[in-house]
Amino acid sequence: TATSRTYILHHLILPRLSTAVNAWNPTQDTVPLHVWLHPWLPYLQAHMSELWAPIRHKFAAALEQWQPWDGSAHGIL
């Protein structure tokens, strides 16, 4: 039913995505973030808003350490 689907998405999937985002390292992970995060957008929509701040923070931290001569930022973005 819709209620059990909502429960699964909000109480099982979203916490796992949050844990994965917290463990994600944009400078070292080989699988891009969008590959495993974007498939959940249609299902969780606005409920994923809690993930955006940590993602932005990690991107900002990675780009602060980036040197202009280093082309690796293109892979991150």
Side-chain angles (χ1 to χ4, degrees):
T1 66
T3 305
S4 60
R5 178 181 172 204
T6 301
Y7 178 84
I8 290 169
L9 288 170
H10 294 149
H11 297 283
L12 299 176
I13 303 298
L14 192 57
R16 288 184 183 197
L17 288 174
S18 181
T19 299
V21 165
N22 289 333
W24 172 65
N25 182 337
T27 61
Q28 295 180 358
D29 286 351
T30 57
V31 178
L33 177 72
H34 70 276
V35 169
W36 51 269
L37 191 62
H38 284 193
W40 295 105
L41 286 171
Y43 304 103
L44 291 166
Q45 300 169 9
H47 299 284
M48 291 180 69
S49 62
E50 68 186 59
L51 303 177
W52 305 144
I55 290 170
R56 282 191 302 266
H57 175 74
K58 289 182 177 224
F59 273 132
L63 290 174
E64 282 179 7
Q65 298 172 6
W66 175 70
Q67 299 297 319
W69 51 264
D70 182 2
S72 65
H74 294 276
I76 294 172
L77 298 174

